[in-house]
Amino acid sequence: MSDCPGGRGAGFHPPLALPHGGRAGDLRSRLGQTAGAMLGRGGRWLQRAGGAAPAPLRPAPHGAQLRFDGDVLRLKSGWELARGLLVFRLCGLPGLVRRAPALLSVSRWLLGRRLWGSLLRASFYGQFVAGQTPPEVGVTVQHLRALGLRPLLAVPIEEDVGQDKEGEGWYEGNRGAILGCVGLSAQGGPQPMMQLKVTALMSARLCRTVSLRLGEPGGLSELSLDRVMAVMGGEEANFSRLSPAENRHLQASLLRLDTVTQRAVEAGVRVLVDAEYTYVNPALTLVTLALMGRWNRAQPWVWNTYQCYLQDCLARLGADVALAERRGFCFGVKLVRGAYLEQERQLAREGGYPDPLHPTWEATNHSYQRCLDLLLELGARDGQRCQLIVASHNESSVSHAVRRMEELGIAKDGGAVCFGQLLGMCDHVSLALGQAGYAIYKSIPYGAVEDVLPYLVRRAQENQSVLQGIRKERDLLRRELWRRLLRRP
């Protein structure tokens, strides 16, 4: 989901040819009446699918193999099933996803802010977002916990190169929002976690500059882990490879990151730092390892993300594991395949450098399994010092992790290994894991509709191939809806 002003289109007034000389206000009124009628009919139809309590799950025998056949979707309401089916159908249309910013802007102007917001809350926003206010987020969290799921809260704030902000004000405001996320996460149940985007607190341009300097001869020596940790501890940033302005912003950014981490540790919240594009990832890894060096002494409070679609992922993971062992700090990993496949390949073509990604889907899967096996073995050896979240919607990867956990004697809910998926997606896997007693987290952004929508659009545009490939989940939702409509057991 690339940055887009989709939810902020109040100032955009496209020319419209209205029939019979009608005014825009009349059109908005007629659209509002039509939408209300559609929702009304949909509500009556859904009463048949979800009016009664969801059917109880058939208990699986002890030691039975985990199944992702959709039986757990009986735990969902009829409205949740129908909404998910509609949203997945729409998200599977590439043209709709590509044009989402413009469509959202035009629909907001046509429908008016209130009806536009209501329709989005009943569809995309309601599917993927926890809510706007702390009470709304609390309701979502309690609903998840009742289903055996845990929250992984995320403030949907990030920056890309070219979106630089003047001064430190924007980043300082983000620091306040992220500290609020720490407080909400601390109330989310056992072993709370939260996600963090470094580019919410440090400019993407500086991240790219630092990444370039790290690749220069002598760059690793000057921009060393020890020196970055020292700046986080209060020393002045004075790196010769950076300008005075860059040094000042780096110092302010590192102090923001350290303050957030300190507050999270005090609140008992683990911080999962997201990876982003390859042109900023070296800087993100540097500051994340520095935070690990400062705060991961007794247990892994700070976790780094490793993208297995990158050809060098296993080598970098092994090097960072060795670094943690040498320096004596604990190591936490969020293991993903990667979300920027099309963008990374386009950047490589345009930049004239080798494609950093594995050439095939099979090669990426092989990379994921090798990294997963390495981390599971480390977790089995010492689950207090090396911990992992299997952040994947891939059923084969989840099944492999479950099987290896059993073989290695890793407890389902012991803290060494947990699972993660996005809110509103892959629920047939998430609910199956939760009902079987595994620690499973749902990544949930929260915030106002207009603030969260650009984030959702960016994620959808980055994950078009994933959204087009969720046919099984749509089929399972449809099957469960028909089961209820036909009143089958």
Side-chain angles (χ1 to χ4, degrees):
M1 301 183 179
S2 302
D3 195 9
C4 61
R8 302 185 182 278
F12 173 59
H13 298 283
L16 292 175
L18 300 179
H20 309 299
R23 296 187 303 274
D26 298 331
L27 179 58
R28 291 193 194 102
S29 177
R30 292 197 298 274
L31 285 170
Q33 293 167 5
T34 302
M38 290 173 65
L39 287 175
R41 289 196 297 271
R44 291 192 294 275
W45 179 82
L46 284 172
Q47 286 177 355
R48 292 185 61 196
L57 292 174
R58 295 185 292 271
H62 180 69
Q65 184 179 7
L66 202 62
R67 296 180 296 117
F68 303 132
D69 57 5
D71 192 47
V72 288
L73 296 179
R74 293 167 180 255
L75 295 169
K76 285 180 165 287
S77 69
W79 167 246
E80 289 173 320
L81 295 169
R83 182 185 64 192
L85 192 58
L86 171 65
V87 169
F88 290 155
R89 175 67 69 181
L90 294 175
C91 287
L93 302 174
L96 182 68
V97 174
R98 284 195 304 270
R99 297 178 179 86
L103 291 173
L104 287 169
S105 180
V106 172
S107 62
R108 186 183 188 276
W109 177 76
L110 288 173
L111 299 175
R113 184 174 181 273
R114 179 174 297 180
L115 179 57
W116 177 82
S118 298
L119 290 174
L120 286 171
R121 280 180 171 272
S123 54
F124 296 96
Y125 181 95
Q127 181 76 11
F128 300 120
V129 183
Q132 175 174 345
T133 64
E136 290 178 356
V137 175
V139 170
T140 301
V141 168
Q142 290 305 313
H143 176 62
L144 291 175
R145 292 183 62 185
L147 296 172
L149 310 176
R150 302 179 184 184
L152 176 57
L153 293 179
V155 180
I157 305 172
E158 59 191 345
E159 180 188 86
D160 198 2
V161 174
Q163 301 169 355
D164 305 60
K165 310 300 186 297
E166 290 292 333
E168 302 293 334
W170 187 77
Y171 305 101
E172 283 297 314
N174 293 344
R175 181 177 74 98
I178 293 169
L179 289 175
C181 183
V182 171
L184 283 175
S185 299
Q187 304 170 32
Q191 300 172 322
M193 291 180 169
M194 61 173 282
Q195 293 173 249
L196 175 65
K197 289 274 190 183
V198 170
T199 54
L201 301 174
M202 176 176 171
S203 82
R205 181 183 295 276
L206 180 59
C207 289
R208 183 174 66 174
T209 298
V210 170
S211 296
L212 291 171
R213 300 295 176 263
L214 287 169
E216 296 172 351
L220 288 172
S221 298
E222 185 184 10
L223 290 160
S224 67
L225 198 62
D226 289 322
R227 291 195 65 187
V228 172
M229 290 171 62
V231 175
M232 289 178 172
E235 287 191 13
E236 183 180 358
N238 188 23
F239 297 99
S240 62
R241 294 169 186 264
L242 301 178
S243 69
E246 289 170 338
N247 272 299
R248 288 193 297 272
H249 179 57
L250 178 63
Q251 181 163 4
S253 301
L254 294 178
L255 290 176
R256 278 190 289 268
L257 286 160
D258 195 69
T259 299
V260 167
T261 305
Q262 179 180 2
R263 187 73 62 86
V265 172
E266 292 169 351
V269 177
R270 290 171 289 178
V271 179
L272 277 57
V273 181
D274 284 333
E276 300 183 42
Y277 289 101
T278 50
Y279 55 75
V280 296
N281 276 346
L284 306 189
T285 296
L286 174 64
V287 300
T288 304
L289 291 173
L291 290 170
M292 287 185 179
R294 282 179 55 78
W295 297 105
N296 283 15
R297 290 299 167 182
Q299 58 180 296
W301 292 109
V302 179
W303 299 32
N304 196 25
T305 298
Y306 292 85
Q307 301 160 308
C308 293
Y309 67 179
L310 297 175
Q311 296 184 35
D312 64 349
C313 182
L314 182 61
R316 288 188 300 103
L317 176 60
D320 291 347
V321 167
L323 175 68
E325 291 178 347
R326 287 196 309 272
R327 288 180 166 262
F329 60 78
C330 302
F331 198 63
V333 173
K334 176 184 174 185
L335 194 66
V336 304
R337 276 175 170 76
Y340 307 104
L341 188 146
E342 295 178 5
Q343 294 88 341
E344 290 286 7
R345 291 213 158 115
Q346 181 178 348
L347 287 169
R349 288 193 300 269
E350 294 173 352
Y353 56 84
D355 188 342
L357 309 184
H358 285 292
T360 64
W361 174 247
E362 291 75 19
T364 296
N365 290 340
H366 182 62
S367 170
Y368 194 93
Q369 184 162 321
R370 291 182 69 189
C371 294
L372 179 59
D373 285 338
L374 169 65
L375 293 165
L376 288 172
E377 290 170 7
L378 292 171
R381 187 192 311 166
D382 189 350
Q384 293 300 310
R385 299 191 65 80
C386 182
Q387 297 180 0
L388 161 71
I389 181 167
V390 184
S392 175
H393 292 181
N394 186 283
E395 294 179 16
S396 297
S397 295
V398 173
S399 296
H400 179 78
V402 167
R403 183 170 59 254
R404 288 295 292 152
M405 287 173 67
E406 185 175 354
E407 293 169 355
L408 295 168
I410 300 175
K412 291 181 179 181
D413 198 15
V417 179
C418 56
F419 297 85
Q421 279 116 31
L422 297 173
L423 179 69
M425 291 186 67
C426 207
D427 285 346
H428 65 293
V429 174
S430 305
L431 290 169
L433 288 167
Q435 293 297 305
Y438 290 89
I440 167 68
Y441 291 79
K442 297 296 274 188
S443 173
I444 49 178
Y446 66 94
V449 173
E450 294 186 352
D451 295 332
V452 177
L453 273 178
Y455 174 88
L456 292 180
V457 172
R458 285 192 293 271
R459 298 288 85 81
Q461 291 175 337
E462 291 161 3
N463 292 279
Q464 283 190 56
S465 60
V466 175
L467 289 169
Q468 293 171 46
I470 52 177
R471 182 174 301 171
K472 177 181 177 179
E473 191 167 358
R474 291 203 309 263
D475 291 343
L476 293 175
L477 291 169
R478 187 184 300 109
R479 188 186 72 184
E480 175 59 18
L481 267 176
W482 277 112
R483 185 194 68 78
R484 297 189 193 186
L485 287 168
L486 299 176
R487 305 197 182 281
R488 292 172 178 167

